[in-house]
Amino acid sequence: MPSTVDTIVEPPAGKERAAAAIIVDDNPETRVHHPSDLIGTVIGAVGIVAVMVLATYAQHTTTGVAEDVQGFANLLRKILVVPVQVLEGVVTLLVPIAVLSELAIRRLGRQVLDALGAAVLAVVLNGLVLWLVHHVGSEELISGLSVRLNDQWTVTLPGYVAMLAGLLTVSGPRSRRRTVTWSWNLIWVAIGVLLITAQVSLPGLAISLIVGRVAGLLVRFLSGVRSEQAYGEVLVAGVRRAGFSPRRLRRIPEGDGPDVEKSVDPDAETAPVPVVGRVTEPDPDAAARALIRSAGYRAYELTTTDDESLDLVVIDGDRQVVGMLGRLWRSLRLRGLEGRSVVNLRQATERAALLTYAVRAAGVRTPQLLAIAEADDSMLLVQRRPEHAVPLAELDPAELTDELLAEVWAQLSLAHTAGIAHRALTSDTVLVATIAGTPVVWLTGWEQGYVASSDLARRMDASQMLALLALRVGATRALDSAAGILSDDDLSAIGPLLQTISLPRQTRDEMRTHKQVLAELRTALVDRLPEADVEPLQLVRFGARTILTIVVPILAVLFIVTQINIDEITQALAESDWRWSVLAFGLGLLTLLGAALAVVAFSPVKIPVWRAVLVQTAATFVALAAPAGLGPAALNLRMLTRRGVSATLAGATVALVQVSQFVVTLGLLLVLTVASGNQESALPISPAVLLIIAAVAAVVAATLLIPAVRQWVLAKTMPTLRQTWPRLIAVLGQPWRLALAIGSNLLTTLGYVLAFDACLAAFGQDATLIQVAIVYLAGNTAGSMVPTPGGMGAIEAALAASLTAVTGINFGIATSIAILFRVVTYWLRIPIGWVAMRVLQRSGEL
């Protein structure tokens, strides 16, 4: 932290100076970089793109609006006594002179330079956009931004509008600069005149205005703006408005550990002299430091003229913007978290005060809030100091007694009984003090909490508290301490929430070095309550996989559409033989029987073949929401567990089914390669590709020589082998099961290969069986690696690319074949799968 600055604030008039001099030991920020400016820049850039899209694809709408406005043109020409060009010149000249003169009079030289820089940058960016429109833009975009001037169409992006918008954005808020207020009004009048008289297009005008705003906001963020936060005299005045007479304000540093004490004569009129090396024990600022770490607020030690020591918490407006966006994102992403309407500094402060009063009324020990005041762009909260309290993170392990842990849960239970949820419990929000040998616990940081909270919010509180305690005393002790306060039902309800996404960021960071803690908690919970469900609850509405599920199919469709010839595909579909398509559909249904027989072969209990076929058919419907391969595995696991098979044995069976499918597929590919020999065609892989494969194999083999890599591979593969090996031994002891497993996997693989071959025949294309097998296996495997539902989009693109590369078929025809194959083996089976799912649900099988 930068060195502090000690300021002596003069006493109010009529007071004795010696008695009323106030020392402010602070680190004031003269210029700040508001995150809201960066956010506005990004939103502005998105807005420019959106306007261009509208100008390209919604020309009739934008043109219609402009024509409606231009209906007043004749009336306006009668009213105006000066030409439009003269009005433009007056605005362009008058606005900068007026605004810059006010800034100069106020001696804001830095802001004058920033305003001029923003104006220049706006003109440059506007010119760049104009150049890009001319040289890169489509004809539709150019037409949408053009108006007819002097009997020819001209793209209009008025540079002076961008220049003035950039200059006024940096010059200051309208509420504090009178010239800025009048200048914006004058610009809007000029813009209206330009639009009505058809001097500019509506989209072009909007783009120039947004470009100016983007330039101004970017300059403000990079250069910073004069701080409007409360410091020095303004801060002292705010404290006085709160009803306190300060003698000294000392900024609590953000660093960890006790600060060097500074001895100051309260009556002195000179800067205080630090006494180096003297440390106060225990650290009186520990609780305030924890507040700074958890909430990011400024904190001061407020010493009044009555020698009372209080905490002064300062909430700044620029921090509220970031906090609001963080809360909004978390509420959108997580289930069960209500959105909140707090959008400004005052509302955030009022909410924090409401939670504090409600918590204290519920009997929870939290610092008493004494007063609230406003000072510039800051809100001040004066509260009592939790004497001798330190955050839980700073306690020695020996101090974490069972009595202390019970008191922690007791305080949280009081809040939950009153319907209040904290929602951000960390080791910095739990403070501990020892009074007369008895532990005293404080819960702080309620600004993100809820009154009248939901049951899920309170359960998340309990999971957060359990996790942070387990990090310090171990899973067993933490769970034992919770069991002393919570009922068995409440305790078991925590299990599904023991996941990192439900924890605050600080606790998640600690979990990264103790990744086993959550697993240990689940194990300890099941040991205590065997009937407890610890299966993680779906808390996230969307994540990286969901985004991939949406984005990848869109990208795949765009890639296919831009690479293929639509007319060629349409002609090929019209000429395709529908009888081969019906055969391909039938062969695709045959794979369901193969998959069902594989499950029957490996199942430790008797499963009717028809029932297994229904489950595999239902999996085709589940594939709409699950990545390729996961749908059948999940339903097979469910079917086995419903029939009394233990979860471990059911998992081993499902894993063995998948491993056997992989092994049989590779074996089939090898047999087809050997069987084809010279009687069909050479292996359709060029020598260059073979060299690449050999090089990759050599690299893989070389990396396996590295102990760390070898251990990582073993760590990933050995659990599966250990899980499937006992079941495999049991199957090998029954030859009929082994034969059925191999035959069923051959039936599944050959069914898909022959279906793909039938799709080729439907379009009059021909390939050898080994080529068809290579294309199907390579394309299907590559597409299945992308975690989209059923490999949607990815498998089609991979099959088309593989078919073109191996057989040389035109990419447009190859795409048609791939699409037809997916239609008959994926899309047309979905309605059948839905019917099978309904039948299984009604029978209780799933």
Side-chain angles (χ1 to χ4, degrees), residues 477-796:
R477 278 194 66 195
L479 196 61
D480 290 343
S481 67
I485 300 296
L486 305 179
S487 66
D488 287 347
D489 290 339
D490 292 337
L491 205 59
S492 62
I494 298 176
L497 300 179
L498 291 174
Q499 44 188 309
T500 55
I501 191 63
S502 66
L503 304 177
R505 179 179 297 277
Q506 180 179 339
T507 309
R508 292 202 303 269
D509 293 341
E510 296 176 11
M511 282 288 180
R512 290 192 180 97
T513 56
H514 303 84
K515 297 181 180 179
Q516 76 285 357
V517 169
L518 289 180
E520 292 174 354
L521 278 173
R522 297 189 193 99
T523 302
L525 183 58
V526 172
D527 291 342
R528 173 178 286 274
L529 302 172
E531 72 282 0
D533 181 13
V534 294
E535 185 69 22
L537 181 67
Q538 182 67 28
L539 293 176
V540 180
R541 289 192 177 99
F542 59 89
R545 177 169 293 180
T546 307
I547 295 174
L548 283 175
T549 298
I550 298 173
V551 172
V552 172
I554 294 175
L555 294 178
V557 170
L558 290 176
F559 173 77
I560 292 174
V561 170
T562 56
Q563 296 294 321
I564 63 177
N565 188 323
I566 301 296
D567 295 334
E568 193 175 80
I569 291 179
T570 303
Q571 182 180 357
L573 286 173
E575 297 175 356
S576 63
D577 191 338
W578 63 269
R579 291 170 295 184
W580 285 108
S581 301
V582 173
L583 177 60
F585 178 69
L587 291 170
L589 292 180
L590 193 61
T591 63
L592 300 177
L593 176 60
L597 290 176
V599 176
V600 171
F602 288 113
S603 173
V605 296
K606 185 177 180 179
I607 297 179
V609 175
W610 172 244
R611 188 66 63 182
V613 171
L614 275 179
V615 171
Q616 306 312 309
T617 306
T620 62
F621 174 71
V622 177
L624 270 176
L630 291 185
L635 288 186
N636 288 335
L637 186 65
R638 180 66 173 171
M639 176 179 62
L640 292 172
T641 55
R642 291 285 292 178
R643 290 180 172 269
V645 181
S646 65
T648 303
L649 185 56
T653 303
V654 172
L656 190 57
V657 170
Q658 293 179 318
V659 171
S660 66
Q661 179 67 48
F662 176 74
V663 172
V664 170
T665 299
L666 288 182
L668 178 62
L669 184 59
L670 179 62
V671 170
L672 289 175
T673 303
V674 174
S676 62
N678 294 325
Q679 301 173 11
E680 289 186 349
S681 63
L683 189 65
I685 301 178
S686 65
V689 174
L690 289 175
L691 288 176
I692 293 175
I693 294 175
V696 172
V699 171
V700 172
T703 55
L704 290 176
L705 296 176
I706 303 173
V709 175
R710 188 166 60 252
Q711 292 173 3
W712 180 83
V713 172
L714 290 175
K716 294 296 182 181
T717 56
M718 288 306 294
T720 302
L721 292 176
R722 293 193 190 100
Q723 187 181 34
T724 58
W725 184 254
R727 188 61 198 150
L728 178 60
I729 295 299
V731 171
L732 291 176
Q734 299 174 288
W736 72 269
R737 286 184 180 271
L738 182 61
L740 180 60
I742 296 175
S744 60
N745 284 322
L746 284 173
L747 180 61
T748 302
T749 303
L750 284 175
Y752 280 119
V753 171
L754 293 176
F756 193 64
D757 192 35
C759 291
L760 265 75
F763 285 89
Q765 303 297 320
D766 188 25
T768 64
L769 189 60
I770 181 61
Q771 287 178 321
V772 175
I774 289 176
V775 169
Y776 166 72
L777 295 174
N780 190 69
T781 301
S784 299
M785 291 180 180
V786 180
T788 59
M792 193 185 309
I795 291 181
E796 288 85 345

Side-chain angles (χ1 to χ4, degrees), residues 25 248-253 259 284-285 299-302 385:
D25 182 6
R248 179 182 175 181
L249 289 172
R250 180 177 64 86
R251 176 80 172 267
I252 309 259
D259 190 28
D285 297 333
Y300 297 80
E301 179 190 10
L302 166 61
R385 307 196 94 190

